[in-house]
Amino acid sequence: MIEEENNRTYKLYKIRGGAIGGAEVIGENYSFPFDSANTDYIEYQKWIAAGNTPEPADSVGD
Amino acid sequence: MSRNQQIAKMIGRKSSGHIQSDNQNMIINGAMQVAQRLTQGTTYVDSTTANLFAIDRFYFAGNPTDTMRISRSTDTPGGGFGYSLLMTSKAATTFTGTQYAVVGHRIEAQNLVHVGFGTAAAQPLICSFYIKCSVTGSIPFTIMNHNDTQIFTANCTINNANAWEYKTISVPARTTGTWNGAGVTTRGLKIQWYTGLGPDHSDGGTSTDGGWNTSYDYAVPGHINVCSTNAATLYITGVQLQVGTQATAFQHRTFGEERQSCQRYYQRYSNFANYAGLALGSNWSATNGNCPFFLESAMRAPPGVEYSDLAHFSLGGRYSAGGSGAPTSLHNDGYSGGNNLDLGYARGGGMTTTSIYLLEFVNSTAGVSWLAFNAEI
């Protein structure tokens, strides 16, 4: 089976309340929510399963 | 004469036993009318990463990356077509092992229930399209299910270089395998033209011209790799996939119909005037806030957020909150269907909690600034 090559790296982002809501793709001006129907999230899960780790989310200012 | 054939005769439409509705073409944007990503001063997209789009609904991908440049051409076969997809190879690439380059179109699973693949009621399909290529020989054409375990292969043979040719490819009904169906909004089926394919996916010996396999054989041996010729060109338009065994004339749809269908998967909003406002948001911290953003139509799934350079945007405080500056990120903080999306933003700091901020474009060059929502499959 052909696996699409994923050279992306990720940084998490927070939503209201401080929970992690999704990830930004570093260097691509693109972010996506953690939802099982989102194609980029599916690719992200494969990336995580391969042993990779995203950058942490920025802290939320007071 | 079957009942289906009787009905088809009454409505004056050719049929081989399968009634085809007026909306017979399962391909969205088959005439390449909609290219939201190419209309803002960008004329092409290179295959630098996986699963990219230039013309709406037609993706391209490859390993190695950056073998193809996709643009939209006005070179067409006539017949009412205004545009074609143009693939230009960027080098003479040798494809080894499992390497590949591909142009394709994915269909959402719930739109394929009537095809019945994976059941005893499966229907045959026929795919038709116009193609023009600078290289002669057989281009691998495939249809696959959502996880690439059911694979149909056929030769798309270019007989004459640089001449438009009309192709029809018959796809036998597939009664076996797992196929996503009713209510599933993710991948269902894809059609693909391989512009490059390494031997590991073409020399397995199980693929035939017009047959199904489950052995990850994507091409019939002897095929060509268009991207193995530098500056080779491949044009495609008039793509139609329909139930039946006889291709009918391409179903032309209006631009508005096609655009609306495309917007289920991708919507782009562009700056056509300086300081074009986007949304009013409320800060829940000194660094973060949310805007209600109203989409033109509902999307397939919670979308990702794409944007031009963040320096093209401004977050400005209202009602004495003061201060403006570019956001440091934009993201989807909540979407559960419909046209209302919770657009989150962040700025490095200096904003006032619970105050109102206006998110707007600031770049005065029309077309440079844009915000898009991506729910492609």
Side-chain angles (χ1 to χ4, degrees):
Chain A
M1 181 188 306
I2 284 180
E3 288 287 350
E4 291 176 354
E5 194 172 26
N6 184 359
N7 295 322
R8 287 173 156 177
T9 54
Y10 302 92
K11 176 183 177 181
L12 302 174
Y13 71 77
K14 293 180 178 178
I15 59 175
R16 191 194 321 247
I20 298 299
E24 300 167 9
V25 181
I26 295 172
E28 288 192 27
N29 288 353
Y30 183 61
S31 64
F32 59 89
F34 285 173
D35 186 282
S36 59
N38 184 288
T39 304
D40 293 292
Y41 179 57
I42 294 169
E43 292 304 312
Y44 171 83
Q45 288 179 307
K46 293 177 184 174
W47 185 82
I48 292 293
N52 298 295
T53 304
E55 293 186 14
D58 290 333
S59 57
V60 174
D62 295 329
Chain B
M1 182 180 291
S2 72
R3 179 167 173 75
N4 284 357
Q5 287 171 318
Q6 288 175 332
I7 295 171
K9 184 178 180 182
M10 282 189 291
I11 62 177
R13 183 172 294 123
K14 288 182 180 179
S15 171
S16 53
H18 307 280
I19 295 176
Q20 293 157 351
S21 72
D22 287 335
N23 198 23
Q24 64 194 13
N25 190 2
M26 290 181 270
I27 302 296
I28 296 171
N29 200 30
M32 315 299 170
Q33 294 181 84
V34 184
Q36 295 182 77
R37 298 161 180 87
L38 296 183
T39 54
Q40 313 304 328
T42 301
T43 57
Y44 61 83
V45 178
D46 288 336
S47 57
T48 50
T49 62
N51 202 31
L52 288 169
F53 291 78
I55 294 171
D56 279 58
R57 308 297 306 119
F58 284 83
Y59 67 91
F60 54 103
N63 174 20
T65 57
D66 211 14
T67 59
M68 298 183 288
R69 173 166 292 178
I70 304 294
S71 59
R72 190 168 66 162
S73 172
T74 54
D75 187 337
T76 74
F81 295 105
Y83 299 103
S84 61
L85 180 153
L86 168 59
M87 187 291 300
T88 306
S89 62
K90 297 184 69 177
T93 303
T94 299
F95 292 85
T96 62
T98 59
Q99 291 183 326
Y100 70 101
V102 70
V103 176
H105 181 108
R106 293 190 180 95
I107 300 174
E108 188 175 331
Q110 64 180 347
N111 294 335
L112 294 161
V113 177
H114 65 297
V115 176
F117 276 7
T119 73
Q123 305 286 301
L125 300 177
I126 188 156
C127 187
S128 54
F129 52 88
Y130 295 86
I131 192 165
K132 173 180 167 179
C133 187
S134 61
V135 183
T136 58
S138 294
I139 296 171
F141 175 89
T142 65
I143 288 181
M144 300 185 203
N145 66 344
H146 63 284
N147 60 4
D148 300 355
T149 56
Q150 299 291 315
I151 302 146
F152 168 82
T153 55
N155 287 329
C156 171
T157 302
I158 305 299
N159 298 305
N160 300 294
N162 300 312
W164 281 103
E165 299 179 27
Y166 178 64
K167 303 295 180 186
T168 60
I169 294 177
S170 296
V171 184
R174 186 62 167 174
T175 58
T176 58
T178 301
W179 296 80
N180 284 336
V184 178
T185 59
T186 53
R187 295 176 179 179
L189 172 156
K190 62 184 175 184
I191 67 171
Q192 299 188 122
W193 297 263
Y194 278 99
T195 57
L197 196 57
D200 288 3
H201 281 303
S202 57
D203 289 347
T206 64
S207 57
T208 58
D209 184 7
W212 289 91
N213 75 79
T214 57
S215 302
Y216 306 120
D217 271 350
Y218 300 154
V220 180
H223 67 89
I224 60 168
N225 287 331
V226 176
C227 286
S228 291
T229 300
N230 185 32
T233 54
L234 175 71
Y235 300 79
I236 300 171
T237 195
V239 185
Q240 181 155 280
L241 182 68
Q242 59 192 122
V243 169
T245 54
Q246 184 173 347
T248 57
F250 181 80
Q251 179 191 17
H252 287 281
R253 301 189 185 111
T254 67
F255 175 80
E257 288 174 310
E258 294 285 28
R259 182 172 182 270
Q260 187 170 39
S261 295
C262 292
Q263 285 185 322
R264 178 169 170 78
Y265 306 94
Y266 189 85
Q267 297 181 26
R268 181 176 284 209
Y269 300 86
S270 298
N271 175 23
F272 294 107
N274 197 10
Y275 296 107
L278 286 164
L280 280 171
S282 176
N283 273 34
W284 51 268
S285 80
T287 55
N288 294 75
N290 297 71
C291 308
F293 190 92
F294 293 95
L295 302 162
E296 285 193 45
S297 58
M299 302 196 76
R300 178 191 66 82
V305 181
E306 289 181 11
Y307 38 89
S308 60
D309 194 317
L310 285 167
H312 298 163
F313 297 83
S314 174
L315 275 166
R318 307 290 109 174
Y319 303 112
S320 303
S324 64
T328 54
S329 69
L330 298 169
H331 32 79
N332 176 356
D333 280 13
Y335 178 75
S336 55
N339 69 343
N340 187 352
L341 182 139
D342 187 5
L343 179 64
Y345 58 79
R347 211 176 86 180
M351 296 194 290
T352 305
T353 304
T354 70
S355 290
I356 301 299
Y357 280 76
L358 173 66
L359 176 66
E360 60 185 347
F361 290 125
V362 297
N363 194 293
S364 59
T365 305
V368 171
S369 313
W370 53 268
L371 175 67
F373 299 91
N374 184 342
E376 295 284 3
I377 49 178

